[in-house]
Amino acid sequence: MKTGNRIGQTLLGLCLAASAAVFAAAPAEAAKVPAPAMKARLAAKVPVTGLVRAGNALVAVGDYGTIVRSADEGKTWQQAEVPVSALLTAVHFVDERLGWAVGHGGVILATTDGGANWQLQATLDDKPVLLSVYFADAQRGYAVGAYGTAFLTLDGGHKWARLAVGSGHDADLHLNHIFGTRDGKLFIAAETGAAFRSTDRGTSWTKLATGVSGSLWSGLERADGEVVLLGMSGRVIASRDGGTTWQVRETGTEQSLTSGIATANGGLIVVGAGGVVLRGAGGEPLQLEVRADRQNLAAVVAAPTGSVVIAGQLGVERLTPNK
């Protein structure tokens, strides 16, 4: 692992496994049959790394292959049927039924029932560490991860072809999070302050001049089209011109920031390591809170009626409204 890399910090202290530089897609059937995730009485308290909306439901993924689902905005959770026990790192849905999850060992899971049941759809050769998954629609999707790992599928996740994102020294940067914007652009938040943008659906990529050097862990698009990236040392940077120029937002913290959402009032909610929560209404500075447990937070999502659910080292829970 490269000096200074802190992937493990965002994945709740779990070490990033070494993986080869060249990968190829292989059908799940060709791989050795893995052990399924064990059923746990307190599955919602397993360390969680990814959390999303699936229609009116919420779905969280985490360690030991655990996936939990809530149909009541995070009040109660039910463990899903999952065929692997590997650490799952990210999850994405295109509608209330169709979703994908990825993780260590190159596993790609799929669901067609809103996250209640999952199938091992594909496994990437050499078992790379996958860190993020994004589908533009039910057929076209992307998976990215450690050491420049990037793949494209055009058939809903059954077959995957490798993508080249960075070049030269940038070819093996860890690609931490991929997401799309409403105008069709793709963005990747990467290590050492790198970020990449594609305007042609992933065929070619441009490295962006972010002006920061610490790893960027995730990103999002706000309702007004502003693109926001989050990272080490409490870094929040924002672009109003599609990633050409970036401005730094003050946060009052040096903790790593791992996930954020745009709120209905035009603001942001951002979470991170050490129990950090940042909140700010549209146009207002972000206000720092530090939760009493100071446990690492990895994800945040807004439930259908606006309540907020957070996830991390202690599992999933509802966030107390800002007073």
Side-chain angles (χ1 to χ4, degrees):
M1 187 177 296
K2 288 178 277 186
T3 301
N5 172 52
R6 298 185 182 177
I7 282 284
Q9 187 172 352
T10 60
L11 296 181
L12 310 175
L14 294 165
C15 293
L16 182 65
S19 48
V22 179
F23 306 114
E29 291 77 10
K32 182 179 179 180
V33 177
M38 293 182 62
K39 286 291 186 177
R41 184 173 61 87
L42 298 176
K45 295 303 179 182
V46 167
V48 168
T49 53
L51 173 66
V52 294
R53 279 264 305 271
N56 290 326
L58 304 177
V59 178
V61 304
D63 205 359
Y64 314 112
T66 302
I67 299 181
V68 292
R69 183 179 187 272
S70 175
D72 56 8
E73 307 208 346
K75 296 176 184 176
T76 61
W77 296 84
Q78 293 75 45
Q79 187 174 3
E81 295 290 338
V82 179
V84 300
S85 55
L87 169 63
L88 301 175
T89 55
V91 57
H92 180 79
F93 278 77
V94 294
D95 57 30
E96 71 278 4
R97 299 180 300 105
L98 295 177
W100 292 263
V102 300
H104 284 212
V107 300
I108 298 174
L109 307 177
T111 179
T112 58
D113 61 5
N117 296 277
W118 295 79
Q119 297 77 45
L120 179 57
Q121 188 178 48
T123 302
L124 301 184
D125 281 352
D126 297 318
K127 299 182 178 180
V129 175
L130 298 176
L131 299 173
S132 183
V133 60
Y134 171 75
F135 272 71
D137 54 47
Q139 297 300 312
R140 189 181 192 92
Y142 309 83
V144 301
Y147 300 105
T149 300
F151 284 91
L152 165 70
T153 180
L154 298 177
D155 63 0
H158 296 284
K159 297 179 182 178
W160 295 80
R162 186 171 181 177
L163 292 176
V165 175
S167 60
H169 173 73
D170 297 330
D172 67 343
L173 292 177
H174 299 326
L175 306 179
N176 298 326
H177 183 222
I178 183 169
F179 63 100
T181 57
R182 289 184 295 278
D183 62 0
K185 294 184 181 70
L186 295 169
F187 288 85
I188 296 176
E191 68 171 327
T192 67
F196 300 91
R197 177 189 63 205
S198 175
T199 58
D200 56 10
R201 307 179 78 189
T203 301
S204 62
W205 295 84
T206 300
K207 186 180 180 182
L208 305 175
T210 64
V212 299
S213 58
S215 291
L216 297 168
W217 300 127
S218 69
L220 68 145
E221 181 190 26
R222 296 176 60 188
D224 62 1
E226 181 180 62
V227 175
V228 178
L229 300 179
L230 314 171
M232 287 178 60
S233 303
R235 195 70 72 197
V236 174
I237 60 174
S239 176
R240 291 189 174 276
D241 56 12
T244 301
T245 61
W246 298 86
Q247 297 77 43
V248 175
R249 299 285 175 81
E250 293 298 323
T251 63
T253 180
E254 294 188 353
Q255 295 281 8
S256 285
L257 302 177
T258 54
S259 179
I261 56 169
T263 60
N265 62 5
L268 288 172
I269 298 178
V270 176
V271 301
V276 163
V277 177
L278 297 164
R279 303 192 230 203
E284 296 181 2
L286 294 169
Q287 300 298 314
L288 172 64
E289 309 166 34
V290 179
R291 290 165 53 84
D293 57 30
R294 295 183 180 270
Q295 297 299 308
N296 294 338
L297 299 173
V300 58
V301 70
T305 63
S307 59
V308 176
V309 176
I310 56 175
Q313 198 167 353
L314 299 180
V316 285
E317 64 176 284
R318 288 160 62 95
L319 183 65
T320 303
N322 202 4
K323 298 179 180 179

